[in-house]
Amino acid sequence: MSKIASPAAQDSPAAAPAGAGLIDPALLAHLRKTVAAVTRPWWQGEVVSANGLIFGVNLGGSRPPLVWCFQGYAEFAALAAALGPDQPLYGLRSGHLVVKPGAKTHLHMAMICAEELLSLGLSGPLFLGGNCQGALLAQKIAQILTAADHPVALLICLNPFLITPYGGRAAFILGRHDTTNPLHRFHDAEALLRERLPLCSLDTIPSEHGSLFSGKILDLWSAILRRRIEAVAGTSPGAGPLWSLCAELAAPAQLVMPARGLCEVPVTLRNSTDQLWAPSRESGLTLGNHWRAPDGSLLQWLDGQQPFTQPLPPGGTFETTLLVRAPEREGEYLLEIDLQQAGVLWLSELGSAPTICRVTVLPPVGGAAG
């Protein structure tokens, strides 16, 4: 079992009293005991973790395992039923209404849960999520695991009421009519979300607070949850695991465009994997582009988008045109063409070099640039 080490006493100039450092052993013990007291007598499922704080159901399912931070057992049972017997689900209890809230408690709860997760010995990508306060706990767990060299493939946050920074891949699902929705509670919250969670997808559902785990709302967001996991795990139709995604792109090395003009750029895409790519509507794979200054600094992230309508077999090529809009002012630019999987990532984020076209932008046809 991997361990997340606390600071060693000998690393400090002088021995500190118990509980005075970053990690408080007494608080850890108290939280373990408190959470166990409200889960073990009531929660159903197989107790699977080292200290008995994580319960598992549908463990024989073939889908990638999902770990979720719940507010109570009723939510655990409801999500397990909605996802079905083929979805292994590991549930743990957030500290909501159980432990005294606060930053120190939050950190120690996350430390406990992170070690419990490591004790499971799960193989393959880790999918971790939670709802409400459980979403915030899941995010802190993900940060701890990542810092300890146990990266999380996808963090799923259902109705978190805060937007806190996270550099990994994330999927937010927010209730459109929920009073705790951060998009409703803060100015420019969506821009803040993009800034603090740069690799985050965003889905909204027509839910109110407290209505997430029953009826059509549960069916709706659990389907979104499954789709987001499948996209990253590579189990969606015609999409291999993203970390094995490989493609070759070709486009003209030099182009000339009028300012603000719409231009068709010829692009050839080759599937360099040994897996069939389904059409864009199923796989989410599309061509797109970014605009950069000659020094590589970003000017515009999203511009053109071009799907492919037919399956692309291993080694197969797809020739098309990508419709882009030139920058507003004349000058020299870099047109960066890349492959994306919608809501998940761009191929270049896996370390593959995008195709770069050097573009000379001339004054607009019929007048000077404004």
Side-chain angles (χ1 to χ4, degrees):
M1 168 184 169
S2 301
K3 288 284 187 180
I4 300 175
S6 57
Q10 60 266 30
D11 292 339
S12 303
L22 178 64
I23 306 302
D24 184 343
L27 179 57
L28 290 174
H30 168 72
L31 293 174
R32 288 191 186 99
K33 181 179 179 180
T34 301
V35 173
V38 297
T39 54
R40 290 184 186 175
W42 314 111
W43 284 41
Q44 299 178 26
E46 182 180 346
V47 179
V48 292
S49 62
N51 292 293
L53 301 183
I54 298 181
F55 292 72
V57 294
N58 304 328
L59 300 186
S62 63
R63 293 181 176 274
L66 171 64
V67 181
W68 198 269
C69 301
F70 296 97
Q71 309 281 68
Y73 174 72
E75 296 175 349
F76 183 21
L79 183 58
L83 294 176
D86 201 33
Q87 175 62 68
L89 180 63
Y90 295 88
L92 51 89
R93 178 67 158 83
S94 78
H96 178 55
L97 300 180
V98 176
V99 299
K100 183 179 179 180
K104 188 173 183 179
T105 299
H106 185 61
L107 171 64
H108 283 66
M109 278 290 297
M111 289 288 294
I112 290 170
C113 294
E115 286 205 331
E116 289 285 285
L117 280 179
L118 292 179
S119 76
L120 298 180
L122 297 176
S123 60
L126 176 60
F127 296 90
L128 173 63
N131 54 283
C132 302
Q133 288 89 343
L136 302 181
L137 178 60
Q139 183 171 337
K140 180 62 70 175
I141 296 169
Q143 291 169 330
I144 291 172
L145 290 175
T146 300
D149 201 26
H150 295 277
V152 173
L154 182 66
L155 169 70
I156 308 104
C157 293
L158 175 64
N159 264 16
F161 52 85
L162 294 175
I163 301 173
T164 55
Y166 179 70
R169 194 169 298 119
F172 267 43
I173 306 173
L174 301 178
R176 198 172 302 134
H177 309 296
D178 196 307
T179 55
T180 65
N181 184 336
L183 300 188
H184 298 161
R185 297 174 60 234
F186 304 105
H187 291 296
D188 301 322
E190 190 162 354
L192 188 65
L193 180 69
R194 300 301 181 195
E195 175 187 336
R196 293 187 172 181
L197 294 97
L199 300 180
C200 179
S201 64
L202 175 61
D203 295 284
T204 59
I205 55 177
S207 65
E208 298 178 346
H209 191 66
S211 66
L212 293 171
F213 285 89
S214 62
K216 293 182 179 180
I217 294 298
L218 174 59
D219 293 339
L220 179 60
W221 76 259
S222 62
I224 294 172
L225 170 65
R226 175 171 288 177
R227 176 164 55 86
R228 291 299 180 189
I229 292 175
E230 287 175 344
V232 174
T235 57
S236 57
L242 290 180
W243 36 88
S244 67
L245 188 61
C246 185
E248 296 176 19
L249 291 163
Q254 187 75 42
L255 294 166
V256 178
M257 303 178 184
R260 298 199 301 268
L262 283 172
C263 303
E264 292 185 329
V265 179
V267 180
T268 300
L269 168 67
R270 181 177 182 272
N271 178 358
S272 301
T273 73
D274 58 359
Q275 299 172 345
L276 175 72
W277 290 354
S280 297
R281 66 179 181 275
E282 299 176 29
S283 65
L285 297 172
T286 60
L287 291 170
N289 73 281
H290 319 303
W291 284 100
R292 296 186 182 274
D295 64 0
S297 58
L298 181 66
L299 300 176
Q300 182 179 351
W301 182 250
L302 293 178
D303 182 24
Q305 184 181 28
Q306 178 60 48
F308 50 94
T309 58
Q310 300 297 323
L312 194 59
T317 59
F318 171 61
E319 295 185 357
T320 187
T321 55
L322 178 64
L323 187 65
V324 304
R325 184 175 290 277
E328 292 186 355
R329 299 188 179 278
E330 60 189 275
E332 300 298 320
Y333 297 90
L334 300 179
L335 174 64
E336 184 176 287
I337 300 174
D338 201 355
L339 183 70
Q340 67 166 321
Q341 182 156 36
V344 183
L345 53 68
W346 294 77
L347 183 61
S348 57
E349 292 171 339
L350 294 175
S352 179
T355 292
I356 305 294
C357 306
R358 295 188 176 275
V359 178
T360 300
V361 174
L362 303 177
V365 176

